[in-house]
Amino acid sequence: MPLIVQSDHTLLLEVDNPHFAAARDDLLAFAELVRSPEHVHTYRLTPLSLWNAAAAGAGPEDVLAALDRWGKFSTPDNIRTTVQDQARRFGRITLVADSGDLYLTSAEPLLLDEVWSHKSVRPHLAARVAPGRIRVRPLARGHVKQALLKVGHPVLDRAGYTPGTPLPLQLLPATRDGQAWSLRAYQREAVEAFWGGGGPAGGSGVIVLPCGAGKTLVGIGAMGQAQAQTLILCANTTSVHQWMQEILQRTNLGPDQVGEYTGAVKEIYPVTVATYQILTHRTRRRRGAGDEAPSGRRPQPTTAAEAEVEFPHLRLFQERNWGLVIYDEVHLLPAPVFRVTADIQARRRLGLTATLLREDGREEDVFALIGPKKFEVPWRVLEGQGWIATAVCHELRVDLPAALRPAYSVLDGADRFRLAAENPVKIELVRELLLRHPDERILVIGHYIDQLAALASALQAPLLTGQTPQREREKLFSAFRAGEISVLIVSRVANFAIDLPDASVAIEVSGLYGSRQEEAQRLGRILRPKTDGRPATFYALVSRDTVEQDFAHKRQLFLTEQGYRYVIRHAERAAEDEVATRGGDAVTSAGDNDVPLWRIGR
Amino acid sequence: MKLADALRGLPERSLGPYRTVAGLPAAGIAELVARLSDPERVAHAVHTLPPGPLLALRILWFHTAPNMAPWLFHTVFISNGGATGADRAVETLVEQAILVPPLSAGGQYVIAEEIRPTLLQLVMREWLPTSGFYLPAGEVPLQIHATDPAAVVSDFVRVLGVLPAGIRVRQQDILPYQADQRRLSAALDRSALPALPPLVPGAIPWEGYAPEVGPLFSVAVAFGLVEAREGVWTDSSHVLEWVNLPPEVQWSGLLQVWATLCATHLDDPLARGVYDCLRSGVWCRPAALARWLAQFTTSGQHRLVAAVHNVIVAFGVRVGALEWGHAASVAAPASAADGGRPEPVPAPEDCAVRLRPEAAHALAGNMTPLDFPRFDEAPLAQGTFEILTGPRTPPALVWLLESWAEREAVDRFTTYRLTRRSVGAAARRAGCAEDLLNALAGSPGGVPQNVDFSIREWAAEVVHLTAELALILRCADETAAERAARTGAFRGCERLGPTAWRVPADRAGTVWRALTDAGCDVEGNLQDFRDRLAGRLHRPVRTDAPPPQLPWPGVPHLPLPTPTAHRQSAAGHGMGEKAPAQPSDVRPHTPTRTVPRPEPVRNAPRLSPRSLGDTLPVVMRLTRREVCRALQRGMRLGRPVGLADTAGGTHVLIVQDLTADSVAGYCTCCHEDHRLPLRTIAATVRP
């Protein structure tokens, strides 16, 4: 059997075991995948994961049966206790709708008494109408769920949804360009898991798919099920345009039915695609007493009404009777949107993400307000099925020029990091790498505009930053997709949701300290499957013996935990290493190439 | 003697389990049998036993105490702890009238009287000459319940009709009813044995050690680490030796005892029971543990529970009660056990145990492997810098990982994580990265490239630099230098060039004297060197000693270099401006008055011999740690460390050398080089 159940709630799963795949499929339902390196994957049982499982219909008996079935050893007693205790918490309190009112019900009246007297829950409750039944205040559906989750009582929401304004929508059998298409099997499964037959058990939740797995298509599939007006929230304008383009390409909706709500254009159509940025755009408030918190920071709005005053575009949620709200990259959902989402719990909500991991640790809010995880496929499965490209990560170390060392030694903090990140030697190394991959589309990604501008100048390659007008961006992306340009230098704006299927090489010249999300997103840019089956190659250039190395190590940990192969080389010695390890850990993934490279530092 | 004959006559199949149970090698059995025939020879013979049999005998007898010797005799020699062959052994002994089975309602029986003197002599005079008694865990209640001589006599009379002539029942002769009833009844051709008699009113409960404490103690006894006296534990001289051993050696010793003693007892259900009970790292009352284990044992195996208990405590073993009395000073500093509580725990009810990772490995390793993954024996290194080890990972490898990686989780499989800090720390302790990489080479798929790269990189970040104080002696020319070299005075010194030597500070006096004795005229004087040394340390020094001036006509002077000349010389020998500062570089210190030797430090602890015995191991380790720290921090090297010795004296040492048992350096109080045994150091004091 492939599973080792440890008493600290971790589950170790052997990858090379013949029962690995079956056991993994079972584990995904009730455990969080923590790490998936090459040999042993680590899962963890958490209250949230068990509640997710319970929400999906897997009770404690199912969880324990799976652990017993795949475990090498007997399941520790404390694990049994935890599973039984936590999984049974979900559903002890149910939220139901009755005659227009919302009620918390439970078969355990004492439990509701406890809830009633809890000071963080009490403000959202209206009255105790009977033993085992409490009326919830109007519009407090999301807040009461949030509050109850925080005190350890996740609520089973069976209050149902408003259908929203109908919008007949059909998925076309072929795109408007004439290419046949249909949802892949896992995408169909994801849509069905989310929709849940249209009943109150479905209709809200999160789908977790790796970058490049086609989350947009899952969203379109969900729209096809909902047949209602839909609000889609994305990370940036480029992503907005890609959503719109996909919808127009693959559905029978026309341009007069799909609009964007961004900084540049503010259209509200039956299908509206907006950015988080515009929703959280603040009004300029008149300075006055109370505007400034003692700390000097602006006070945060505490209610949805206050939030809408401060963030006027949040009214978009109320502009139409949306039948479905799609949150793309849900792990980036900003706090004000959370607050508004608490008020629209009667609408169906779909979260799409590659990772449930939030840098701010608000996974519980995602669970309470968007919904439990409904479906997940690990990237390794999709890689095995050929839906996403195989990737190898290389970290190349370069020396910081001696002339910069004195300056580096006296700087500190961000300046020191920046000096190391902007190491000019990297420009030469990028040039060598471009020679190394002559026939591939290459993204050069960086954090500092000055450095990217220098690169663009040195390499005679186009530069795309936040300052680049949207029209110019689209033009560059189109040229890149068409193969008219093979190298594109991009800043952080390209981290999210840029669909460049043919990019197979990414060179990261500088990163945002140790941000794991950024690293995953950047790698995700090259994970779309290539038409010729080429593997993707990710280079991270790091200045040796500098603070950049430490941050690179953090990013390295994240990538290896995701299961990517990671190779570290000194740039000037990489050629020798390559010769020594040719056929094994060879640096290149583009096949044999006798071009004499790696001249840096010689 | 009949016992010896009986042992010789035992069939091999009976000796087999005995041998494995007691861990006594064949040679040991032969020795034992030979010596049993003549108790008078035992005293001498025991001391001349080879180490193997001696260890076996220790293990064999460490359970015992004078009044328990018969019981032990029964358990080990006769019933074999319920192992196969016990019935045959009993049959043999009964047939030969060695064993008299006066079966009674209580089921006790006694050893034939002719055996008793031999046995008691053997036990009381030879192997436990200074021992009092204590009770190992598990047997205490039975002992108490069966220690009424009147009841035994009554049973004799009732069962046999008469008390056998010559048998005088004393308390220490009574054997508790401990054996497996089924086996005994089969051996003695009786249908069944009656139940134990109830506790006789008025019987005095045994005042022994708490069961929770005994097992660890027994292991310590097995190693000769402690001796038992009535109600008191005292450290033996072995304790200090053992405490000073490297942890690996300490543990391997305990492992040896455990393997020898319990390997055959720790059958699969039992090991699994222990493991299941304690694997989660929770604290557990030993009594609760024993109850848990009882479900895995038959009645004849209760002793084995105790044995397993010993293992847990000795090997696992975090025992709160260890902080009770001397055990704290023995076991805790030795890392044999972690006290679970920061304060002494007088009441045995508060005792608790839990498994250490080593014990988890060991116990899990005794279970029948069901379906261990392939990294069970070899560690599994992943690209995430995690290393997973299974229960059967060799202890040496576990120790290696313990020193190179941070332990993240301990359970059936232990997770370590390599970090820059952990690798750097191991490298600073003179660890070799290649050792680690070689150890990890067996990992399935080998060591991931990024891990290999990082280990080497992190280890290489550690640069070993040693700063030391030395005297540079330089001759005016090469001819003079050769003549000086021929005097042999520079033995142990490093020749820096054709005309210069580096003399370690602690050999300065010796070399200087040797040179002057040989007639060399050394310019400068030793005291000046020492004064400068002391001046560098900003310590007052004594100036009343006259400088030695022994001329050697016809031989060129060996002048001490001036600071400038020294720097030039150093540069000429490849030492740059960054070369360690030399004594002559420092600002000269000109004392203006004689400073008396410092008074003994007042805040040095006043220790009675008894309390000294209590605290010495702890203090010693603290001192060592401090001295080690002083040595490891290059910047602190050469600064004085105040040490109070057990005789009340104080030394302010400029530490130059530290070994496992001594510290050496220049004492700025006595102005002499000293090497102080660590055992004589009572405390560190502010210099």
Side-chain angles (χ1 to χ4, degrees):
Chain A
M1 291 298 115
L3 183 66
I4 299 157
V5 184
Q6 307 257 75
S7 44
D8 62 353
H9 299 87
T10 55
L11 312 173
L12 305 177
L13 185 63
E14 266 192 294
V15 174
D16 298 328
N17 191 288
H19 301 291
F20 164 74
R24 178 202 56 207
D25 292 345
D26 280 357
L27 290 188
L28 277 178
F30 58 82
E32 283 177 10
L33 178 60
V34 181
R35 290 184 282 273
S36 55
E38 59 270 53
H39 299 300
V40 175
H41 291 185
T42 302
Y43 291 77
R44 183 179 292 280
L45 287 171
T46 66
L48 216 53
S49 73
L50 291 168
W51 297 338
N52 273 321
E61 297 78 15
D62 301 318
V63 174
L64 291 175
L67 294 180
D68 291 339
R69 187 183 320 130
W70 301 119
K72 291 177 189 298
F73 313 101
S74 58
T75 305
D77 287 340
N78 66 321
I79 298 295
R80 290 184 179 279
T81 307
T82 300
V83 169
Q84 283 165 351
D85 178 45
Q86 292 295 343
R88 289 198 173 122
R89 281 171 176 252
F90 186 83
R92 288 171 76 193
I93 300 175
T94 308
L95 187 69
V96 296
D98 189 0
S99 308
D101 286 330
L102 293 174
Y103 295 93
L104 290 178
T105 64
S106 175
E108 303 168 60
L110 283 178
L111 179 60
L112 284 188
D113 288 346
E114 179 191 331
V115 165
W116 176 261
S117 59
H118 208 291
K119 63 180 180 184
S120 65
V121 184
R122 181 71 181 78
H124 309 299
L125 305 178
R128 282 197 282 196
V129 294
R133 195 172 176 88
I134 297 177
R135 193 169 71 240
V136 177
R137 288 186 187 280
L139 298 178
R141 180 172 171 179
H143 299 292
V144 78
K145 286 199 298 185
Q146 236 178 334
L148 281 169
L149 187 84
K150 280 188 173 28
V151 299
H153 294 296
V155 176
L156 177 60
D157 187 347
R158 288 286 185 264
Y161 306 98
T162 58
T165 306
L167 175 67
L169 182 147
Q170 273 189 324
L171 304 187
L172 300 175
T175 64
R176 297 198 187 263
D177 295 340
Q179 294 178 341
W181 83 284
S182 63
L183 290 177
R184 298 167 188 162
Y186 67 86
Q187 290 167 337
R188 269 198 306 278
E189 284 179 49
V191 172
E192 286 162 10
F194 162 72
W195 188 248
S204 64
V206 178
I207 304 295
V208 183
L209 289 174
C211 294
K215 290 188 285 291
T216 309
L217 301 187
V218 172
I220 292 174
M223 289 167 64
Q225 293 284 356
Q227 296 289 314
Q229 297 195 359
T230 302
L231 174 64
I232 301 167
L233 306 177
C234 307
N236 55 35
T237 308
T238 304
S239 181
V240 166
H241 293 169
Q242 283 177 2
W243 268 93
M244 293 172 64
Q245 189 180 351
E246 293 291 341
I247 292 168
L248 293 173
Q249 280 278 333
R250 297 170 197 272
T251 69
N252 62 344
L253 298 180
D256 58 334
Q257 294 173 293
V258 182
E260 71 172 278
Y261 193 94
T262 61
V265 183
K266 293 181 179 57
E267 305 163 333
I268 300 178
Y269 284 95
V271 174
T272 299
V273 191
T275 59
Y276 293 129
Q277 193 181 9
I278 190 65
L279 291 179
T280 53
H281 179 74
R282 291 171 187 262
T283 53
R284 284 184 183 280
R285 294 208 301 173
R286 188 163 46 85
R287 273 184 179 275
D291 271 6
E292 289 288 337
S295 62
R297 303 180 66 175
R298 296 179 74 171
Q300 291 292 314
T302 54
T303 65
E306 284 180 27
E308 285 190 17
V309 170
E310 185 166 357
F311 305 103
H313 298 289
L314 287 178
R315 279 196 290 271
L316 178 62
F317 282 92
Q318 313 300 338
E319 291 288 348
R320 292 207 174 212
N321 183 16
W322 306 114
L324 175 65
V325 181
I326 297 177
Y327 301 84
D328 194 15
E329 311 289 1
V330 73
H331 60 281
L332 298 175
L333 203 64
V337 180
F338 268 129
R339 281 191 288 277
V340 175
T341 301
D343 290 339
I344 58 163
Q345 293 294 300
R347 307 189 191 282
R348 289 192 165 88
R349 305 168 304 280
L350 169 63
L352 298 172
T353 183
T355 170
L356 279 174
L357 184 76
R358 286 184 63 99
E359 302 282 357
D360 61 3
R362 296 187 66 171
E363 291 87 354
E364 286 189 353
D365 286 339
V366 173
F367 178 91
L369 298 180
I370 308 296
K373 180 180 74 177
K374 292 287 187 179
F375 188 79
E376 180 176 8
V377 182
W379 71 269
R380 196 180 277 267
V381 173
L382 298 184
E383 183 192 274
Q385 295 173 357
W387 296 119
I388 58 176
T390 305
V392 182
C393 308
H394 301 279
E395 180 180 316
L396 297 179
R397 300 273 178 86
V398 292
D399 278 324
L400 191 66
L404 292 180
R405 275 285 166 190
Y408 176 82
S409 62
V410 297
L411 290 174
D412 56 7
D415 294 335
R416 171 177 269 213
F417 176 79
R418 179 166 186 166
L419 181 71
E422 293 186 322
N423 182 353
V425 179
K426 290 181 180 179
I427 295 178
E428 286 306 305
L429 184 55
V430 171
R431 199 194 300 274
E432 307 258 355
L433 290 172
L434 298 185
L435 290 174
R436 192 74 174 169
H437 300 275
D439 302 322
E440 297 182 67
R441 313 277 169 76
I442 301 172
L443 289 175
V444 180
I445 309 175
H447 184 70
Y448 298 105
I449 304 299
D450 293 346
Q451 181 188 31
L452 295 177
L455 268 167
S457 171
L459 303 175
Q460 294 297 303
L463 170 63
L464 192 154
T465 69
Q467 308 296 321
T468 309
Q470 190 60 34
R471 185 174 299 175
E472 179 68 15
R473 292 188 199 187
E474 298 295 344
K475 196 172 154 189
L476 287 174
F477 285 141
S478 299
F480 189 83
R481 286 192 201 101
E484 295 164 12
I485 54 176
S486 60
V487 179
L488 191 57
I489 298 174
V490 291
S491 69
R492 291 184 60 202
V493 297
N495 282 357
F496 300 105
I498 294 176
D499 187 15
L500 299 170
D502 291 319
S504 58
V505 178
I507 303 173
E508 183 186 61
V509 292
S510 52
L512 177 63
Y513 301 102
S515 171
R516 298 168 295 175
Q517 264 183 21
E518 182 176 85
E519 201 74 350
Q521 295 293 346
R522 287 180 171 183
L523 181 60
R525 297 312 100 210
I526 55 173
L527 284 182
R528 266 71 170 179
K530 312 296 174 278
T531 49
D532 56 0
R534 260 184 312 204
T537 311
F538 185 83
Y539 292 102
L541 311 190
V542 175
S543 293
R544 185 182 305 137
D545 297 332
T546 68
V547 66
E548 199 185 14
Q549 241 177 246
D550 301 334
F551 291 112
H553 182 68
K554 289 179 184 165
R555 300 198 300 261
Q556 175 197 164
L557 277 182
F558 177 70
L559 292 176
T560 51
E561 285 175 1
Q562 299 299 305
Y564 296 106
R565 197 158 67 91
Y566 200 97
V567 180
I568 311 176
R569 303 270 191 224
H570 293 300
E572 64 271 25
R573 293 204 295 269
E576 290 89 335
D577 291 347
E578 182 180 353
V579 170
T581 59
R582 191 175 285 273
D585 276 339
V587 165
T588 180
S589 58
D592 286 345
N593 190 334
D594 293 325
V595 177
L597 296 177
W598 315 107
R599 292 190 297 269
I600 302 299
R602 288 183 179 177
Chain B
M1 301 295 288
K2 287 182 178 178
L3 177 58
D5 294 336
L7 285 171
R8 283 199 192 93
L10 281 176
E12 182 62 26
R13 67 186 178 89
S14 297
L15 278 177
Y18 157 65
R19 184 156 47 222
T20 53
V21 167
L24 194 63
I29 295 176
E31 293 280 357
L32 178 62
V33 169
R35 280 156 181 73
L36 278 172
S37 62
D38 183 2
E40 297 301 324
R41 290 177 47 205
V42 170
H44 172 71
V46 163
H47 292 296
T48 58
L49 273 177
L54 183 60
L55 174 65
L57 288 177
R58 275 180 170 172
I59 292 169
L60 180 64
W61 289 106
F62 83 83
H63 268 300
T64 194
N67 66 326
M68 293 175 63
W71 164 80
L72 181 77
F73 181 81
H74 155 77
T75 306
V76 175
F77 283 83
I78 299 174
S79 74
N80 281 335
T84 308
D87 49 356
R88 178 63 191 147
V90 171
E91 273 180 14
T92 304
L93 294 173
V94 171
E95 282 169 9
Q96 299 190 20
I98 296 170
L99 184 69
V100 180
L103 284 174
S104 68
Q108 294 102 343
Y109 54 94
V110 298
I111 292 174
E113 190 174 25
E114 56 269 38
I115 302 302
R116 203 177 309 138
T118 301
L119 189 59
L120 292 180
Q121 276 184 343
L122 187 68
V123 170
M124 299 189 70
R125 265 205 268 152
E126 310 303 336
W127 285 323
L128 296 167
T130 60
S131 291
F133 47 78
Y134 75 98
L135 293 177
E139 288 80 35
V140 179
L142 291 173
Q143 284 292 110
I144 294 170
H145 289 197
T147 49
D148 181 38
V152 175
V153 171
S154 166
D155 289 340
F156 269 67
V157 174
R158 184 148 52 87
V159 174
L160 300 180
V162 62
L163 186 67
I167 289 185
R168 187 163 56 88
V169 178
R170 296 173 303 182
Q171 182 167 336
Q172 62 262 39
D173 298 334
I174 298 173
L175 292 172
Y177 174 67
Q178 184 82 17
D180 186 326
Q181 292 187 12
R182 186 179 57 78
R183 290 180 187 282
L184 267 180
S185 60
L188 301 172
D189 196 22
R190 301 294 173 97
S191 57
L193 293 172
L196 280 171
L199 181 62
V200 177
I204 302 170
W206 192 274
E207 296 292 336
Y209 284 98
E212 293 85 343
V213 180
L216 178 82
F217 187 54
S218 64
V219 173
V221 173
F223 267 71
L225 303 179
V226 294
E227 296 167 353
R229 295 183 187 281
E230 286 184 2
V232 179
W233 293 0
T234 57
D235 303 338
S236 77
S237 57
H238 297 295
V239 173
L240 297 183
E241 296 172 16
W242 192 65
V243 164
N244 279 322
L245 290 173
E248 297 91 334
V249 179
Q250 292 173 351
W251 281 107
S252 67
L254 288 176
L255 175 64
Q256 187 183 1
V257 168
W258 174 53
T260 309
L261 182 67
C262 301
T264 56
H265 297 336
L266 207 58
D267 58 349
D268 198 51
L270 201 57
R272 193 174 296 279
V274 174
Y275 192 62
D276 285 347
C277 184
L278 291 174
R279 67 189 165 193
S280 57
V282 298
W283 289 96
C284 180
R285 289 279 315 277
L289 176 63
R291 280 197 298 276
W292 171 275
L293 294 179
Q295 62 181 309
F296 301 104
T297 59
T298 63
S299 59
Q301 284 180 304
H302 279 295
R303 191 182 70 82
L304 308 186
V305 174
V308 173
H309 194 171
N310 282 354
V311 174
I312 296 164
V313 175
F315 212 70
V317 192
R318 299 181 179 184
V319 183
L322 287 179
E323 296 190 351
W324 182 35
H326 290 256
S329 62
V330 175
S335 301
D338 287 350
R341 295 164 182 80
E343 298 171 359
V345 183
E349 299 85 60
D350 288 343
C351 297
V353 300
R354 71 176 177 187
L355 280 184
R356 271 191 163 176
E358 298 81 6
H361 279 293
L363 287 173
N366 269 271
M367 289 189 289
T368 306
L370 297 175
D371 185 17
F372 283 115
R374 58 191 180 136
F375 56 88
D376 177 34
E377 292 179 1
L380 174 71
Q382 304 206 96
T384 51
F385 294 84
E386 287 172 302
I387 300 172
L388 292 172
T389 60
R392 289 186 296 186
T393 303
L397 193 47
V398 171
W399 278 106
L400 190 70
L401 293 175
E402 288 280 339
S403 63
W404 280 89
E406 292 173 5
R407 193 174 55 228
E408 279 200 328
V410 180
D411 211 313
R412 285 168 167 161
F413 289 81
T414 303
T415 308
Y416 294 91
R417 183 176 288 278
L418 291 163
T419 65
R420 173 183 291 229
R421 189 170 57 178
S422 70
V423 171
R428 271 190 290 278
R429 291 192 297 265
C432 174
E434 287 297 333
D435 291 345
L436 176 65
L437 291 169
N438 288 337
L440 296 179
S443 170
V447 184
Q449 191 274 348
N450 60 321
V451 176
D452 183 294
F453 185 97
S454 297
I455 289 175
R456 292 176 195 278
E457 182 180 69
W458 293 335
E461 286 173 357
V462 177
V463 179
H464 291 283
L465 287 177
T466 304
E468 62 176 23
L469 295 170
L471 174 70
I472 304 292
L473 284 180
R474 194 159 149 262
C475 294
D477 57 46
E478 292 187 24
T479 308
E482 288 307 314
R483 294 183 62 178
R486 281 199 294 274
T487 65
F490 292 114
R491 203 172 297 134
C493 304
E494 180 187 359
R495 194 158 186 172
L496 298 175
T499 60
W501 284 264
R502 182 187 64 82
V503 182
D506 60 346
R507 281 189 54 77
T510 309
V511 171
W512 203 296
R513 270 191 295 277
L515 285 171
T516 51
D517 289 350
C520 293
D521 184 12
V522 184
E523 189 177 280
N525 63 71
L526 178 62
Q527 196 54 50
D528 181 53
F529 169 69
R530 287 176 172 167
D531 289 348
R532 285 164 184 262
L533 190 62
R536 177 182 171 79
L537 302 169
H538 305 290
R539 293 289 305 165
V541 295
R542 221 166 56 170
T543 59
D544 50 354
Q549 294 287 341
L550 297 175
W552 190 4
V555 175
H557 288 266
L558 294 171
L560 279 173
T562 64
T564 307
H566 170 74
R567 274 194 288 273
Q568 289 170 347
S569 169
H573 293 291
M575 298 161 67
E577 287 297 315
K578 297 288 186 184
Q582 300 299 324
S584 53
D585 276 344
V586 302
R587 179 168 52 85
H589 174 78
T590 311
T592 55
R593 60 187 178 86
T594 302
V595 178
R597 177 181 291 198
E599 291 291 323
V601 179
R602 293 189 179 185
N603 59 358
R606 296 180 177 217
L607 299 172
S608 67
R610 172 64 190 279
S611 59
L612 178 64
D614 292 348
T615 58
L616 192 54
V618 178
V619 167
M620 192 179 65
R621 288 186 75 84
L622 288 176
T623 306
R624 284 195 66 195
R625 198 177 305 140
E626 186 166 324
V627 175
C628 284
R629 268 206 300 269
L631 281 178
Q632 284 170 354
R633 294 181 192 167
M635 56 187 295
R636 291 196 61 191
L637 179 67
R639 289 188 182 176
V641 175
L643 301 171
D645 65 22
T646 51
T650 304
H651 305 275
V652 180
L653 280 192
I654 302 160
V655 178
Q656 297 294 343
D657 186 27
L658 179 73
T659 66
D661 56 3
S662 69
V663 56
Y666 177 72
C667 178
T668 57
C669 302
C670 319
H671 301 287
E672 292 290 342
D673 295 328
H674 279 318
R675 180 170 288 279
L676 303 174
L678 287 179
R679 66 173 182 275
T680 65
I681 298 172
T684 56
V685 296
R686 185 185 296 276

